[in-house]
Amino acid sequence: TSEALLFADRPTLLFERPEPADAVALVPDHPPSYLHWRGEGHPLAAGEGPERIVTAWWGTHRMSTRDYFKVQLSSVGQVWAFRELESNRWYVHGMWV
C-alpha cells in the first residue's frame, strides 16, 4: 500500500532509549500538533502516521504497543515519536540527521 511506503525509511539516528516527551494531539490517532521534548516546546510543521508496532506475544521481552509518527519539528528537523498505547505517554525514539 502507499501508506506502507511512507514508513519504509527509519531514522538515521536511533536513540539507545526512547526519550520522554509531552505531546498535544488534537485528533486521536493523528500526529501531534505540539511536542515538548528535551526541555523545549516544538510546534509541528507536518506529520505522518501512525504506524503501529507490536512485539510478538510469545517474546520474553514484551514491549508495549506503540503508534509511531514521523513528525517535522519546525526548529529541529524530523523526529520519530511514538505514543505508548497502554500508558498514553509520548516518547521520541530517533531523528533523521
Side-chain angles (χ1 to χ4, degrees):
T1 68
S2 60
E3 186 174 338
L5 294 175
L6 291 174
F7 296 103
D9 63 324
R10 291 292 187 249
T12 52
L13 174 62
L14 191 63
F15 304 145
E16 186 174 332
R17 297 198 189 293
E19 298 180 1
D22 290 314
V24 174
L26 301 177
V27 179
D29 298 329
H30 281 71
S33 57
Y34 179 83
L35 191 70
H36 191 266
W37 171 57
R38 292 185 173 174
E40 294 184 27
H42 304 277
L44 273 63
E48 299 172 0
E51 174 189 13
R52 183 157 292 171
I53 298 179
V54 183
T55 318
W57 61 268
W58 58 84
T60 57
H61 299 290
R62 175 145 173 82
M63 72 176 199
S64 61
T65 303
R66 299 173 178 186
D67 278 349
Y68 277 85
F69 299 88
K70 183 178 182 180
V71 294
Q72 176 73 39
L73 303 181
S74 52
S75 57
V76 179
Q78 290 183 334
V79 300
W80 206 33
F82 71 86
R83 179 174 54 93
E84 183 180 66
L85 271 62
E86 291 81 1
S87 67
N88 208 33
R89 291 187 181 136
W90 285 86
Y91 297 87
V92 175
H93 202 161
M95 59 191 311
W96 284 262
V97 292

